[in-house]
Amino acid sequence: MLYILDQRLRAQNIPGDKARRALRAFSIMSVRALPLLFLNLGGEMLYILDQRLRAQNIPGDKARRDEWTEVDRKRVLHDIILTMFNKSFIEELLKPQELYSKKALRTIYDRLAHASIMKLNQASMDKLYDLMTMALKYQVLLCPRPKDVLLVTFNHLDTIKGLIQDNPALLHLVDETLRQLIEVYGGLSAGEFQLIRQTLLTFFQDLHIRVSLFLKDKVQNSNGRFVLPVSGPVPWGIEVPGLIRMFDNKGEEVRRVEFPHGGNYVTAPKEGSFEVYGDRVLKLGTNMYSVNRPVETHTSGTSKNLASQTQQSIAPNPLAKEELNFLAKLMGGMEIKKTSGPEPGFRLNLFTTDEEEEQAALTRPEELSHEVVNIQATQDQQRNQELARIMGEFEVMDQPRWSASKGDDLLAMMDEL
Amino acid sequence: MLTAVGGSCSWTLPKPRGFYGSLRPGGRRRLTVAPATTLCAGWLALSTVTPATAPRAAGSGGSPRPSACVSASSLWWRRIRRDLAILESGKPTRGYWMFRRQRSIPLRGSAAALCNNLSVLHLPVCNLTHFGVVHGPSAQLLSVAPEGVPLAQRQLHAKEGAGVSSPLITQVHWCALPFRVLLVLTSHRGIQMYESDGSVMVYWHALDSRDASPVQAMFARGIASCGHFICVGMWSGRVLVFDIPAKGPNIVLSEELAGHPTSVTDIASEPAQEQDCMADVVTADDSGLLCVWRSGPEFKLLTRIPGFGVPCTSVQLWKGIAAAGYGNGQVRLYETSTGALHVQINAHARAICALDLAPEVGKLLSAAEDTFVHIWKLSKRTESGCTEVEHCHGECVPDTQVCGARFCDPSGSSFAVTGYDLAEILRFSSE
């Protein structure tokens, strides 16, 4: 992988030491924020897809050829989780590196969502991505302590484990990821976690998409801003505000005064667990979508503060090449199944009707359209061989064969028995 | 019948109870009150006490409440008169009516989620105030007239330096030196110094990439002026000391102070108490450690005040007292000569993001991510050497994670607040 990266940099005629400096100079605030961002957004994506697939669930015997059944739903989730938690992919992700740009991240999720038989239109994919980002923004913003972002990640992973209870191989993969996360983040200081949280908030700056679920639950105002509560338990390690203690030169307490602090806080009951198994205490990061509550997003009226954001993204990014190189490196480890046959798979609609989806695609504000970057990880012969060799090392056992139509697949499964 | 004039206050339909919302400091205000001019005759008689009327609910930059026509019943008027009588008598908690919300200053870009993300330069000569806020890869400078009307604005960008990515700015701060004022900008690439209006860059110092480690991001953070020096902190824990000439760009890196094991978060200074020294400087870092230095051609480390595992996000210095705000919401006051803890305030329910001082009156401003801003009165008892703190005022900025707060004048009669994702500077004044 580094060989490929080095080759591409040489092709651009960047002198060696400058190239190394360019790679190091990537650092934006925290270099440990990407795994948390990726895993949490992936978790939210799985919750939303699970909810949407359950909502369209039809009993197996009554299903027509192109309708979703329980078996299909489980397969889609299994395929996505298998791709997301691929061992080498996670290893690559956990290396210290800067946060990817929004475009790059959006491309990864596009690939992930299409890692199975499911297909999403642009409008549905946009809505999915909007929901994912706003949900995570809410969770990071409301995190009591910066270290609780890790608890939010653990909540996501715990709930993902709940979705794949019947597959021990996948469970093992997710457990392995949990262990690696604990290894990497267990030793970080409070200051480093604060930097991680600030980095994540910078990533979500100026996003004010209104989500109907949040509006109904009164956690988001009608202007798109989240409600920050001033009551409830204080974070673990923080004392309830309201006390002034004065000491003398010898360290003896001289006076105690209380002052009105304005909120309505109580002490924290207990600390969440940072082990592989345990009670996380925090509710942020758990699955808040249920089958009966369809989630809508409103993108109108959110473009007020996007002027600065779009200026950033429109200006040609000289870093684009480097970013794409890293991206290709990362996705070289992703097992992307190629579609075969004429039908490219089942389409999932995140809106209630197809017409709504088309309408949403037309009325989406320009600034919020995410252009998907097309990555060709195998571009020329020489690199192709090298990449193919390395990708061969990443082969995951148990590659389930699958085909376009459900009937053929069942037949194939029966043949294998 | 009642119209709002000036600012963005407006009437809303009164609710039968809690007309002024909560009377506790920092409580939620549910109603906004029009200042000064109104059309209702009955109200005019009471308008003489408008400076003391309920402060506007600090909105979070959303849409203003719709003004509604109100037909007042006599019961309602009696209630208003009764409430105002209470206000006049001063019954509500002392200090509650001290500050009123003023007109906000709109920003081009929202404020970034950093600590100490607001700098204010008060220019009494031309009656202007400069504000500086970091948006992300750019910082915005505003020149504002006394009523809060922005007169000019400028955007500064972080210099690219080595590498091709666009770096983020960590802090922007005005440094008042004996003969000039410089604007210092720190980023992930280096340190930029400008003339006070941001028009000309007079100095650029690139971060040394040889020191970089792959597991840590490089950045500069923490800016303070002491005498004719400017101190800037580094991600590595070092503090760079620059010698600034009275005019011109011949700025020289005079010293590198090594006293911190982790990244520097904030630096503060004040003129030294003794005659022979120039200034005292206190530096804080991510581990909560505070170092007190005496400035001079060579800086001397005077005291080390150990941390307790929580980052110290902001620090101020007043009459030999170091006021430090921590990530656990506490404000602690230490005696700098001995390092002894004098006061511990459980001030906030989240990490403190900014502290500021009005040195003339000994007022301390603390702001945290829990949406609250508190003002404290510090006093030093000379006979016992003890420090006393009194709570003056608390303000809630609803649904806003505050990221910067500063007094707007040396007497501490007005202050400004910035919040994450908020594209305006909120102003409060007690005049």
Side-chain angles (χ1 to χ4, degrees), chain A residues 18 21-22 24-32 96-98 137 140-146 189-192 194-195 197-198 200-208 221-223 225-230 233-235 237-249 251 254-255 257 259-265 304-305 308-309 311-312 317-319 322, chain B residues 24-28 60-63 93 108-115 135 137 162-166 168 188-189 209-210 212-219 221 286 309-311 313 327-330 335 338 340-352 369-372 374 376 381 384-391 396 399-401 420-423:
Chain A
K18 207 171 174 188
R21 250 186 293 147
R24 213 182 293 131
F26 265 39
S27 318
I28 280 189
M29 302 188 80
S30 175
V31 289
R32 292 255 179 239
Q97 59 196 306
E98 81 153 18
K137 179 174 182 179
V140 173
L141 200 55
L142 259 77
C143 252
R145 293 177 301 174
S189 67
E192 281 167 299
Q194 194 182 45
L195 205 57
R197 183 168 178 269
Q198 284 177 347
L200 292 175
L201 287 176
T202 309
F203 185 82
F204 293 125
Q205 203 168 333
D206 295 328
L207 279 177
H208 298 299
N221 293 323
S222 53
N223 59 7
R225 295 187 193 280
F226 290 111
V227 172
L228 299 178
V230 292
V234 284
I238 292 187
E239 297 183 29
V240 175
L243 187 62
I244 307 174
R245 296 168 69 190
M246 290 174 254
F247 304 86
D248 64 8
N249 279 320
V254 176
R255 239 173 94 195
V257 179
F259 70 91
H261 58 87
N264 190 10
Y265 295 104
K304 200 166 70 138
N305 282 326
S308 50
Q309 191 189 4
Q311 268 159 27
Q312 254 176 293
N317 188 2
L319 200 56
E322 307 306 326
Chain B
R24 293 179 299 115
R28 294 227 178 252
S60 53
S63 50
T93 318
R108 274 244 181 116
S110 57
L114 299 160
C115 290
H135 165 64
V164 289
S165 68
S166 78
L168 295 178
H188 290 266
R189 285 284 178 279
S209 53
R210 286 172 307 176
S213 84
V215 295
Q216 246 192 324
M218 282 203 307
F219 54 85
R221 180 176 62 182
D286 258 351
V310 175
T313 45
N328 66 349
Q330 275 186 356
E335 173 70 47
T338 57
L341 172 67
H342 274 192
V343 183
Q344 178 179 307
I345 315 173
N346 296 342
H348 292 275
R350 296 281 190 278
I352 290 184
E369 292 173 359
D370 64 352
T371 76
F372 283 95
H374 287 293
W376 317 86
R381 282 230 183 122
S384 57
C386 284
T387 314
E388 293 207 334
V389 170
E390 200 189 322
H391 178 253
C396 174
D399 304 333
T400 306
Q401 182 183 286
Y420 163 66
D421 233 6
L422 204 58

Side-chain angles (χ1 to χ4, degrees), chain B residues 60-261:
Chain B
S60 53
S63 50
R65 293 161 203 244
S67 51
C69 233
V70 171
S71 58
S73 66
S74 61
L75 180 65
W76 185 59
W77 280 116
R78 264 187 270 139
R79 201 169 281 128
I80 292 183
R81 276 189 273 262
R82 185 205 66 196
D83 287 341
L84 283 170
I86 295 174
L87 295 175
E88 276 188 273
S89 68
K91 278 277 176 61
T93 318
R94 180 185 42 151
Y96 176 63
W97 304 113
M98 268 174 69
F99 287 85
R100 254 191 327 149
R101 174 90 185 270
Q102 304 291 314
R103 181 208 291 256
S104 308
I105 306 167
L107 288 170
R108 274 244 181 116
S110 57
L114 299 160
C115 290
N116 307 304
N117 189 5
L118 176 64
S119 181
V120 174
L121 179 69
H122 181 62
L123 300 167
V125 177
C126 37
N127 211 9
L128 282 180
T129 316
H130 288 338
F131 292 87
V133 181
V134 177
H135 165 64
S138 66
Q140 194 176 2
L141 307 179
L142 287 157
S143 187
V144 174
E147 307 81 41
V149 178
L151 299 176
Q153 75 94 31
R154 188 192 292 271
Q155 279 199 314
L156 297 177
H157 294 265
K159 197 164 132 83
E160 302 281 323
V164 289
S165 68
S166 78
L168 295 178
I169 300 178
T170 52
Q171 199 175 354
V172 68
H173 190 69
W174 271 283
C175 291
L177 301 155
F179 297 105
R180 69 201 293 197
V181 176
L182 284 184
L183 175 71
V184 181
L185 209 100
T186 50
S187 72
H188 290 266
R189 285 284 178 279
I191 304 163
Q192 294 153 245
M193 298 194 194
Y194 295 82
E195 294 295 350
S196 68
D197 59 354
S199 54
V200 178
M201 187 177 343
V202 295
Y203 185 69
W204 155 249
H205 176 92
L207 295 184
D208 199 348
S209 53
R210 286 172 307 176
D211 293 338
S213 84
V215 295
Q216 246 192 324
M218 282 203 307
F219 54 85
R221 180 176 62 182
I223 309 166
S225 62
C226 49
H228 61 86
F229 294 108
I230 288 184
C231 302
V232 180
M234 293 280 134
W235 87 100
S236 54
R238 284 174 178 266
V239 177
L240 302 184
V241 181
F242 296 93
D243 195 344
I244 316 290
K247 60 179 181 186
N250 288 341
I251 295 170
V252 180
L253 173 61
S254 120
E255 214 181 333
E256 259 187 62
L257 309 175
H260 287 281

